[in-house]
Amino acid sequence: MTVDELDHPAGRIEKAIEVLDLEQKVRLLTGAAMFALHAEPAIDLGEVRLSDGPTGVRGPEFTGGRRSCLLPNATVLAQHWDADVAEQVGELLAEEAADHDTHIVLGPTINLHRTPLGGRLFETFSEDPLLTGALASGVVRGLQRHGVAATPKHFLANESETDRTTVDAVIDERTLREVYLLPFEMVVTDARAWSIMAAYNGVNGTASTEHAELIDGVLKGEWGFDGVVMSDWYATRSTAASANGGLDLVMPGPGGPWEHHLVAAVRAGEVEESSVDEHLRRLLRLAARVGQLPAPCADSSRVLPAPDSPVRREQLRRLAAGGMAVLTNRDAALPLSPDVSSVVVIGRHAIETIAQGGGSAKLRPPHVVPVADGLTAALGPGRVSVIDGVEVRHRPVPVPDLLRDPETGRPGMRVTARDAFGEVVDSRHVEVTELVTGRGSWLDSADTIELTARIGMDAPARMQVGVTGLGEWTVRIGAERYTVSQDGAAAFSAGVLNPPSWTTNLDLEPGALLTATRPRLTEHSRCGLIARPASPSPAAAIGAAARAAAGADLAVVVVGLTDEQETEGLDKTTLALPGEQDAMVVSVAAAAKRTVVVINAATPVLMPWLDRVDAVLWAGLPGQEAGDAVAAALLGEIEPAGRLVTTFPARDGDGPVWGTTPTHGALAYAEGPAFGYRGWAADQGPRPLFWFGHGLGYGAWRYEHAALDVQGGTVRSVRAQVTNIGSHASREVVQVYLRPADPAEPIRLIGWAGARVLPGETATIEVTCDARTQRSWDTGAQTWRPLEGSEVVIARGLGDIRTTLAMHEPR
């Protein structure tokens, strides 16, 4: 090689591969830690650091790490229906990654909303592959423009969480090509993603981490992907099969099925060393792209906005409020008049607003503004009263800052490690009330761990107290002592993502001491202390809410889901709101002059009270600025112009796809491409409560002069004039769907575009349509064929079709 060739990244990479021996090469292909890759001084390779990141960059600590900026969840961001907004989100995440000294963000999550029961839908964009791919591509571009690698996940067919580490997704080839692969194709071919994460599940009998047909054949071969395919955490099941199947990086580390096992497989002739070289070539290319090959000199000169800085707060408030969706608005109840005389804000979600889902996407924000606080700040404390609602959780969580370290008095708890003789090995204050133990923890040398905190109440009260985490616990609170056995699999999902908990209700004095002790577990396990005021009975809570509503001009009832339903590792079994929230809404609506419901949830819920309330605002999981964003949306300071990204059933069991439970280890995608709005439109049965694409905003619209540009049987673009006939400036999203000539083929979204229009004004909106949604996979010939269209539907969602044009109609 010449000097010039060595100065080029490709030349440096080839030289590095020549320099390293087999053991050194293989060492680099397994993580060095939970969220880090090995450095290698011999080739001037710096440490590459990773972080979970769909809604913020958490950093390497699963709990208790640095405070990080918490964005609205993925469905709220997707409800903007705007790839430019998605790109801004990617740029924000890149700045956060730089602040955390992180090089790879594990996201976006681009699996589809196949069934509304999916526990992880809050982390993914939509039920439509084109919308998902376009938004994901925006996030990828925004991240990688600033030198931070995106990692679209999970490749492939991880649309539900039940038995996710073992389930085999059975999908016909045509559906796989036309639907589930499309978002990944877009992030590769349109945005040039630098890494992809392989899923836990299998696809048609082969594990995703060793699926040569999908990884080497489609991803790397047909699409020309030149980045790294990494495993999901602990997902790799084999050594030779995964190395030969296209996987490039096993996570986490150290240990696992590669390392010395892969060295042995190469020496036994099961894996070619040239395959190891190719995996390493991709890894080093990724390291070069993120600035770690060659290793950089330290540079701390860049100053970035803090997570709670004014610039961040305003960014996040607008992202959240702008993506919220107005579902109903009888008699123009919204936006609220800013001079409304008296408002009562009701519900547990108003006081403890849910800002994020559970699982690996969860992080530690600088704050979460409750809805009650946001409305009180906007309207003034003299006009707003707040009433707690019914209990919404099965597993309680601690109230922030209620627990305090008994030695320092600071918020959090005292964690003490003891040896087999009961002697203290280490004792530390932690700022949070839960932590993860296991491999790599500072508690590794302990025989037992002890969690201790004082309860910082102002007066005697009935409290709910307890402990979270697997194992045999001894819990002491005041004079009471309990032995608690909390069984469950020590797997990552059960031990860390969704650990069991135990509580009891006790009458306690201020400063009561809560202590929980157990033997240290060798596997990763999340544990912590719980203390919160005991909830009133449902009847008492509902009665108080109704009485308060009767005495106010307006009742704002905030209901929703929690991270028990919206979480990695578990699917839902119902779309009903937990607890007695429906009964609370009915009672408040019967008593109040006007009732507005704010739904604090990211995924569909049932609304049996819908015709009894005046308006419904779908708020999602709005991130750290939740309450201020809800207030801005309700008052019209920021238009909640969001459009739904999932079809909402009216009843449990309605719709084209429901269950998530595998049969004999397999989950059959028997509906083919006809899920979500595609399946609803093809079915002559019950109609949905709200269609994909629905959202009223604060405008009213007239559509005129629609026209098509069709070339060679493919719709290239659609143009329409839209006039805002309402009294508020508003953003309209024109949606274009193709109805195929073959009635057996489902309707599909082929494009959309938005514009903000002042009252009384007209805008001409041109929608560019994607040819990839207007093709059909020929399984016999193994090639793409044009899909013959019958007509083009121009709509505000399939529940509000404005015009239909025949494919042969001229411009």
Side-chain angles (χ1 to χ4, degrees), residues 11-60:
R12 286 198 301 270
I13 289 168
E14 294 308 314
K15 182 62 176 177
I17 293 172
E18 292 176 9
V19 166
L20 301 177
D21 61 27
L22 178 62
E23 285 81 359
Q24 289 174 307
K25 294 175 186 177
V26 168
R27 177 174 177 269
L28 296 177
L29 300 178
T30 296
M34 184 64 78
F35 293 102
L37 308 183
H38 291 283
E40 179 49 77
I43 57 173
D44 200 18
L45 171 66
E47 182 184 67
V48 176
R49 288 171 289 278
L50 309 88
S51 172
D52 284 310
T55 52
V57 180
R58 186 189 65 231

Side-chain angles (χ1 to χ4, degrees), residues 293-339:
L293 181 69
C297 298
D299 179 12
S300 58
S301 60
R302 189 179 182 192
V303 178
L304 297 165
D308 58 352
S309 64
V311 64
R312 278 287 184 259
R313 297 194 67 177
E314 181 59 19
Q315 280 179 302
L316 298 179
R317 188 175 74 109
R318 291 197 169 274
L319 284 172
M324 294 176 185
V326 179
L327 300 186
T328 63
N329 194 13
R330 187 176 297 115
D331 298 326
L334 297 177
L336 300 178
S337 170
D339 57 4

